[in-house]
Amino acid sequence: LMVCNGWDRHKNPEPALRAMALLHQRLPEAELVAVGHGFAPGEAGSQWWRAQSLPANVAFRGPQDHAAVLALMARSDLLLHPSLEESFGAVLAEAMTIGLPVVAGARSGAVPWVVGDAGRLVDVTRPEVIADALFALLSDRDEARRIGELGRRQARVRFSLDAVTRAYEQAYE
């Protein structure tokens, strides 16, 4: 799994990490790679994690350059995006472009519009609901592949350079 945001109130990392501990009870081999500000070893996210003594496999990677984020995505089975609000969520579109299913907030600003049917939209304030969505996708590879392919097609139709250029041209006309 991969989470790519940061350690602040709006990015909502604590329920995501608690969900990972719940997932660990059902799927102990699952690993979460935490990317973003505050997620480096020794920073706020890893300090909070150690203080909670929660069981799970979490790799704190911290900020990464864009190429490294894309490489981590390519090696992941899904993207967890627990943010409470987003004006767009480029990381979601990038995940969808490579066919990565997404678990994200059902009421998180533009997230439902971006993700559409390319993932599971859940209440990201409830760790048990996040954990259930993660488990469902990780335990049903066919469904995860189907959703990932749907996301790939959706991203190509809505977010490709050609699609965005056409939308701008239409708006200006």
Side-chain angles (χ1 to χ4, degrees):
L1 314 175
M2 182 180 170
V3 62
C4 182
N5 53 10
W7 190 263
D8 76 35
R9 185 174 61 85
H10 297 292
K11 295 299 184 179
N12 197 40
E14 291 176 18
L17 292 173
R18 289 188 188 283
M20 192 61 199
L22 293 171
L23 178 65
H24 180 77
Q25 296 170 7
R26 296 196 272 181
L27 202 59
E29 66 275 16
E31 179 184 34
L32 178 70
V33 177
V35 176
H37 296 287
F39 282 132
E43 290 186 345
S46 64
Q47 289 175 7
W48 181 89
W49 180 252
R50 276 195 312 276
Q52 302 305 308
S53 299
L54 296 170
N57 304 316
V58 179
F60 290 93
R61 298 286 178 85
Q64 304 287 310
D65 66 29
H66 190 245
V69 169
L70 294 177
L72 286 167
M73 275 188 198
R75 294 192 306 270
S76 297
D77 293 309
L78 64 85
L79 176 76
L80 171 57
H81 191 73
S83 183
L84 294 173
E85 52 188 67
E86 288 289 345
S87 59
F88 178 71
V91 70
L92 297 166
E94 290 171 332
M96 292 163 54
T97 298
I98 63 171
L100 198 59
V102 172
V103 173
R107 293 182 300 275
S108 299
V111 169
W113 178 82
V114 173
V115 174
D117 296 328
R120 295 287 183 255
L121 297 171
V122 301
D123 181 349
V124 291
T125 65
R126 299 184 53 210
E128 66 280 4
V129 173
I130 298 169
D132 287 345
L134 296 173
F135 182 76
L137 286 173
L138 291 171
S139 60
D140 187 344
R141 297 290 185 178
D142 291 337
E143 178 67 359
R145 268 192 292 281
R146 185 190 73 74
I147 289 172
E149 186 52 39
L150 183 61
R152 188 186 325 266
R153 286 193 307 269
Q154 183 176 305
R156 187 172 40 247
V157 168
R158 295 174 64 204
F159 308 129
S160 71
L161 181 58
D162 288 341
V164 173
T165 301
R166 277 192 304 275
Y168 270 109
E169 288 172 342
Q170 289 171 355
Y172 283 122
E173 288 175 2

Short mmCIF file of all heavy atoms in Angstrom, two decimals, residues 1-2 23 27-31 73-79 99-101 120 133-150 152:
data_model
loop_
_atom_site.label_atom_id
_atom_site.label_comp_id
_atom_site.label_asym_id
_atom_site.label_seq_id
_atom_site.Cartn_x
_atom_site.Cartn_y
_atom_site.Cartn_z
N LEU A 1 0.85 -1.17 0.00
CA LEU A 1 0.00 0.00 0.00
C LEU A 1 0.89 1.23 0.00
O LEU A 1 2.01 1.19 0.46
CB LEU A 1 -0.86 0.08 1.26
CG LEU A 1 -1.58 -1.15 1.71
CD1 LEU A 1 -2.26 -0.87 3.04
CD2 LEU A 1 -2.60 -1.56 0.70
N MET A 2 0.37 2.32 -0.45
CA MET A 2 1.11 3.56 -0.42
C MET A 2 0.19 4.69 -0.02
O MET A 2 -0.95 4.75 -0.46
CB MET A 2 1.69 3.85 -1.81
CG MET A 2 2.50 5.09 -1.86
SD MET A 2 3.13 5.32 -3.53
CE MET A 2 3.76 6.94 -3.36
N LEU A 23 -5.84 -3.45 9.60
CA LEU A 23 -5.59 -4.32 8.44
C LEU A 23 -4.57 -5.40 8.80
O LEU A 23 -4.70 -6.55 8.36
CB LEU A 23 -5.12 -3.50 7.25
CG LEU A 23 -4.80 -4.28 5.99
CD1 LEU A 23 -6.05 -4.96 5.43
CD2 LEU A 23 -4.17 -3.38 4.94
N LEU A 27 -4.40 -9.12 7.56
CA LEU A 27 -3.45 -9.29 6.48
C LEU A 27 -2.07 -8.85 6.97
O LEU A 27 -1.59 -7.77 6.62
CB LEU A 27 -3.92 -8.44 5.29
CG LEU A 27 -3.44 -8.77 3.90
CD1 LEU A 27 -3.82 -10.18 3.50
CD2 LEU A 27 -4.01 -7.77 2.90
N PRO A 28 -1.43 -9.67 7.78
CA PRO A 28 -0.19 -9.24 8.45
C PRO A 28 0.97 -8.95 7.49
O PRO A 28 1.90 -8.22 7.87
CB PRO A 28 0.16 -10.39 9.39
CG PRO A 28 -0.75 -11.51 9.06
CD PRO A 28 -1.87 -10.99 8.22
N GLU A 29 0.92 -9.44 6.28
CA GLU A 29 2.02 -9.19 5.34
C GLU A 29 1.90 -7.85 4.61
O GLU A 29 2.82 -7.43 3.91
CB GLU A 29 2.13 -10.33 4.32
CG GLU A 29 0.95 -10.46 3.38
CD GLU A 29 -0.21 -11.27 3.91
OE1 GLU A 29 -0.30 -11.53 5.12
OE2 GLU A 29 -1.06 -11.65 3.09
N ALA A 30 0.78 -7.17 4.77
CA ALA A 30 0.59 -5.87 4.11
C ALA A 30 1.58 -4.85 4.68
O ALA A 30 1.84 -4.82 5.87
CB ALA A 30 -0.84 -5.38 4.29
N GLU A 31 2.10 -4.01 3.80
CA GLU A 31 3.02 -2.95 4.20
C GLU A 31 2.52 -1.62 3.65
O GLU A 31 2.06 -1.55 2.52
CB GLU A 31 4.43 -3.20 3.66
CG GLU A 31 5.40 -2.09 4.04
CD GLU A 31 6.78 -2.24 3.44
OE1 GLU A 31 6.89 -2.75 2.30
OE2 GLU A 31 7.74 -1.85 4.09
N MET A 73 4.72 4.14 -6.59
CA MET A 73 3.36 3.80 -7.02
C MET A 73 3.36 2.56 -7.90
O MET A 73 2.51 1.68 -7.74
CB MET A 73 2.74 4.95 -7.81
CG MET A 73 2.10 5.99 -7.00
SD MET A 73 1.24 7.13 -8.14
CE MET A 73 1.03 8.50 -7.04
N ALA A 74 4.30 2.49 -8.81
CA ALA A 74 4.35 1.37 -9.75
C ALA A 74 4.58 0.04 -9.03
O ALA A 74 4.19 -1.01 -9.54
CB ALA A 74 5.44 1.61 -10.79
N ARG A 75 5.18 0.08 -7.84
CA ARG A 75 5.43 -1.14 -7.07
C ARG A 75 4.35 -1.41 -6.02
O ARG A 75 4.46 -2.36 -5.26
CB ARG A 75 6.80 -1.06 -6.40
CG ARG A 75 7.96 -1.06 -7.39
CD ARG A 75 9.30 -1.27 -6.72
NE ARG A 75 9.60 -0.36 -5.63
CZ ARG A 75 10.22 0.81 -5.77
NH1 ARG A 75 10.60 1.23 -6.95
NH2 ARG A 75 10.47 1.56 -4.72
N SER A 76 3.33 -0.58 -5.99
CA SER A 76 2.28 -0.71 -4.98
C SER A 76 1.06 -1.43 -5.54
O SER A 76 0.87 -1.49 -6.75
CB SER A 76 1.86 0.68 -4.50
OG SER A 76 2.94 1.34 -3.86
N ASP A 77 0.25 -1.94 -4.63
CA ASP A 77 -0.99 -2.59 -5.02
C ASP A 77 -2.17 -1.63 -5.00
O ASP A 77 -3.17 -1.86 -5.67
CB ASP A 77 -1.29 -3.76 -4.10
CG ASP A 77 -0.28 -4.88 -4.27
OD1 ASP A 77 -0.04 -5.29 -5.41
OD2 ASP A 77 0.27 -5.32 -3.24
N LEU A 78 -2.07 -0.58 -4.19
CA LEU A 78 -3.11 0.44 -4.19
C LEU A 78 -2.59 1.69 -3.50
O LEU A 78 -1.59 1.67 -2.80
CB LEU A 78 -4.42 -0.05 -3.56
CG LEU A 78 -4.46 -0.45 -2.10
CD1 LEU A 78 -4.68 0.75 -1.21
CD2 LEU A 78 -5.61 -1.42 -1.89
N LEU A 79 -3.31 2.78 -3.72
CA LEU A 79 -2.99 4.06 -3.11
C LEU A 79 -4.05 4.38 -2.07
O LEU A 79 -5.25 4.37 -2.38
CB LEU A 79 -2.96 5.17 -4.15
CG LEU A 79 -2.72 6.58 -3.58
CD1 LEU A 79 -1.25 6.75 -3.20
CD2 LEU A 79 -3.13 7.65 -4.57
N GLY A 99 -2.98 2.66 -13.37
CA GLY A 99 -3.85 1.53 -13.07
C GLY A 99 -3.86 1.12 -11.61
O GLY A 99 -4.20 -0.02 -11.30
N LEU A 100 -3.52 2.03 -10.73
CA LEU A 100 -3.48 1.74 -9.30
C LEU A 100 -4.83 2.06 -8.68
O LEU A 100 -5.28 3.21 -8.72
CB LEU A 100 -2.38 2.60 -8.66
CG LEU A 100 -1.86 2.20 -7.30
CD1 LEU A 100 -1.27 0.80 -7.31
CD2 LEU A 100 -0.80 3.21 -6.86
N PRO A 101 -5.53 1.08 -8.10
CA PRO A 101 -6.79 1.37 -7.43
C PRO A 101 -6.55 2.31 -6.25
O PRO A 101 -5.47 2.32 -5.66
CB PRO A 101 -7.28 0.01 -6.94
CG PRO A 101 -6.43 -1.00 -7.58
CD PRO A 101 -5.17 -0.33 -8.02
N ARG A 120 -12.32 2.90 -4.10
CA ARG A 120 -13.32 2.83 -3.04
C ARG A 120 -13.33 4.17 -2.31
O ARG A 120 -12.31 4.60 -1.79
CB ARG A 120 -13.00 1.72 -2.05
CG ARG A 120 -13.05 0.34 -2.65
CD ARG A 120 -14.50 -0.05 -2.91
NE ARG A 120 -14.58 -1.40 -3.43
CZ ARG A 120 -14.82 -1.71 -4.69
NH1 ARG A 120 -14.99 -0.75 -5.58
NH2 ARG A 120 -14.89 -2.95 -5.08
N ALA A 133 -12.08 -1.35 3.39
CA ALA A 133 -11.89 -1.08 1.96
C ALA A 133 -10.53 -1.59 1.48
O ALA A 133 -10.43 -2.16 0.39
CB ALA A 133 -12.04 0.41 1.69
N LEU A 134 -9.51 -1.37 2.28
CA LEU A 134 -8.18 -1.86 1.93
C LEU A 134 -8.20 -3.38 1.81
O LEU A 134 -7.71 -3.95 0.83
CB LEU A 134 -7.14 -1.43 2.97
CG LEU A 134 -6.89 0.06 3.11
CD1 LEU A 134 -5.97 0.33 4.31
CD2 LEU A 134 -6.30 0.65 1.84
N PHE A 135 -8.76 -4.04 2.81
CA PHE A 135 -8.81 -5.50 2.81
C PHE A 135 -9.58 -6.03 1.61
O PHE A 135 -9.16 -6.99 0.96
CB PHE A 135 -9.43 -6.02 4.12
CG PHE A 135 -9.44 -7.52 4.18
CD1 PHE A 135 -8.28 -8.22 4.46
CD2 PHE A 135 -10.61 -8.22 3.94
CE1 PHE A 135 -8.29 -9.61 4.51
CE2 PHE A 135 -10.64 -9.60 3.98
CZ PHE A 135 -9.47 -10.30 4.27
N ALA A 136 -10.71 -5.40 1.31
CA ALA A 136 -11.53 -5.86 0.18
C ALA A 136 -10.74 -5.83 -1.12
O ALA A 136 -10.78 -6.79 -1.90
CB ALA A 136 -12.79 -5.00 0.07
N LEU A 137 -10.01 -4.75 -1.36
CA LEU A 137 -9.25 -4.66 -2.61
C LEU A 137 -8.02 -5.55 -2.61
O LEU A 137 -7.67 -6.14 -3.64
CB LEU A 137 -8.84 -3.21 -2.88
CG LEU A 137 -9.97 -2.31 -3.36
CD1 LEU A 137 -9.51 -0.86 -3.43
CD2 LEU A 137 -10.50 -2.76 -4.71
N LEU A 138 -7.36 -5.67 -1.47
CA LEU A 138 -6.16 -6.50 -1.42
C LEU A 138 -6.47 -7.99 -1.45
O LEU A 138 -5.63 -8.79 -1.86
CB LEU A 138 -5.34 -6.17 -0.16
CG LEU A 138 -4.70 -4.79 -0.18
CD1 LEU A 138 -4.11 -4.46 1.18
CD2 LEU A 138 -3.64 -4.69 -1.26
N SER A 139 -7.68 -8.37 -1.05
CA SER A 139 -8.03 -9.79 -1.04
C SER A 139 -8.78 -10.23 -2.29
O SER A 139 -9.02 -11.42 -2.48
CB SER A 139 -8.84 -10.13 0.21
OG SER A 139 -10.03 -9.38 0.24
N ASP A 140 -9.12 -9.30 -3.15
CA ASP A 140 -9.80 -9.63 -4.40
C ASP A 140 -9.02 -9.01 -5.55
O ASP A 140 -9.31 -7.91 -6.02
CB ASP A 140 -11.24 -9.10 -4.38
CG ASP A 140 -12.06 -9.56 -5.57
OD1 ASP A 140 -11.48 -10.03 -6.58
OD2 ASP A 140 -13.31 -9.43 -5.51
N ARG A 141 -8.00 -9.72 -6.00
CA ARG A 141 -7.10 -9.20 -7.04
C ARG A 141 -7.83 -8.91 -8.35
O ARG A 141 -7.50 -7.95 -9.04
CB ARG A 141 -5.94 -10.19 -7.31
CG ARG A 141 -5.04 -10.41 -6.13
CD ARG A 141 -4.25 -9.18 -5.86
NE ARG A 141 -3.30 -9.44 -4.79
CZ ARG A 141 -2.45 -8.58 -4.35
NH1 ARG A 141 -2.41 -7.38 -4.87
NH2 ARG A 141 -1.65 -8.88 -3.37
N ASP A 142 -8.82 -9.72 -8.69
CA ASP A 142 -9.57 -9.47 -9.93
C ASP A 142 -10.30 -8.14 -9.86
O ASP A 142 -10.30 -7.37 -10.82
CB ASP A 142 -10.55 -10.61 -10.21
CG ASP A 142 -9.85 -11.91 -10.59
OD1 ASP A 142 -8.68 -11.85 -11.06
OD2 ASP A 142 -10.45 -12.98 -10.42
N GLU A 143 -10.94 -7.87 -8.73
CA GLU A 143 -11.66 -6.61 -8.56
C GLU A 143 -10.68 -5.43 -8.57
O GLU A 143 -10.94 -4.40 -9.17
CB GLU A 143 -12.49 -6.62 -7.27
CG GLU A 143 -13.21 -5.33 -7.00
CD GLU A 143 -14.32 -5.00 -8.00
OE1 GLU A 143 -14.56 -5.74 -8.96
OE2 GLU A 143 -14.97 -3.95 -7.80
N ALA A 144 -9.55 -5.61 -7.91
CA ALA A 144 -8.54 -4.54 -7.89
C ALA A 144 -8.04 -4.25 -9.31
O ALA A 144 -7.88 -3.09 -9.69
CB ALA A 144 -7.39 -4.91 -6.97
N ARG A 145 -7.80 -5.30 -10.09
CA ARG A 145 -7.37 -5.10 -11.49
C ARG A 145 -8.44 -4.41 -12.31
O ARG A 145 -8.16 -3.53 -13.11
CB ARG A 145 -7.00 -6.44 -12.12
CG ARG A 145 -5.53 -6.79 -11.99
CD ARG A 145 -5.15 -7.97 -12.87
NE ARG A 145 -5.76 -9.22 -12.45
CZ ARG A 145 -5.32 -9.97 -11.44
NH1 ARG A 145 -4.29 -9.60 -10.76
NH2 ARG A 145 -5.92 -11.10 -11.14
N ARG A 146 -9.69 -4.82 -12.11
CA ARG A 146 -10.80 -4.21 -12.84
C ARG A 146 -10.90 -2.72 -12.53
O ARG A 146 -11.00 -1.89 -13.43
CB ARG A 146 -12.12 -4.92 -12.48
CG ARG A 146 -13.32 -4.41 -13.28
CD ARG A 146 -14.63 -4.95 -12.74
NE ARG A 146 -15.02 -4.34 -11.48
CZ ARG A 146 -15.51 -3.09 -11.36
NH1 ARG A 146 -15.68 -2.33 -12.43
NH2 ARG A 146 -15.84 -2.61 -10.18
N ILE A 147 -10.84 -2.39 -11.26
CA ILE A 147 -10.91 -0.99 -10.85
C ILE A 147 -9.70 -0.22 -11.36
O ILE A 147 -9.82 0.92 -11.81
CB ILE A 147 -11.03 -0.88 -9.31
CG1 ILE A 147 -12.42 -1.36 -8.89
CG2 ILE A 147 -10.77 0.53 -8.82
CD1 ILE A 147 -12.57 -1.48 -7.39
N GLY A 148 -8.53 -0.84 -11.28
CA GLY A 148 -7.32 -0.18 -11.79
C GLY A 148 -7.41 0.12 -13.27
O GLY A 148 -7.04 1.21 -13.72
N GLU A 149 -7.93 -0.82 -14.05
CA GLU A 149 -8.07 -0.59 -15.49
C GLU A 149 -9.13 0.47 -15.77
O GLU A 149 -8.96 1.30 -16.67
CB GLU A 149 -8.41 -1.90 -16.21
CG GLU A 149 -8.44 -1.78 -17.71
CD GLU A 149 -7.17 -1.17 -18.31
OE1 GLU A 149 -6.06 -1.47 -17.83
OE2 GLU A 149 -7.29 -0.37 -19.27
N LEU A 150 -10.19 0.45 -15.02
CA LEU A 150 -11.21 1.49 -15.15
C LEU A 150 -10.59 2.87 -14.87
O LEU A 150 -10.83 3.83 -15.60
CB LEU A 150 -12.36 1.22 -14.19
CG LEU A 150 -13.54 2.16 -14.22
CD1 LEU A 150 -14.22 2.15 -15.59
CD2 LEU A 150 -14.53 1.78 -13.14
N ARG A 152 -7.43 3.70 -15.20
CA ARG A 152 -6.52 4.02 -16.31
C ARG A 152 -7.29 4.63 -17.48
O ARG A 152 -6.91 5.65 -18.03
CB ARG A 152 -5.77 2.77 -16.75
CG ARG A 152 -4.67 3.02 -17.75
CD ARG A 152 -4.03 1.75 -18.30
NE ARG A 152 -3.91 0.65 -17.38
CZ ARG A 152 -2.83 0.38 -16.64
NH1 ARG A 152 -1.79 1.17 -16.70
NH2 ARG A 152 -2.81 -0.68 -15.86
#
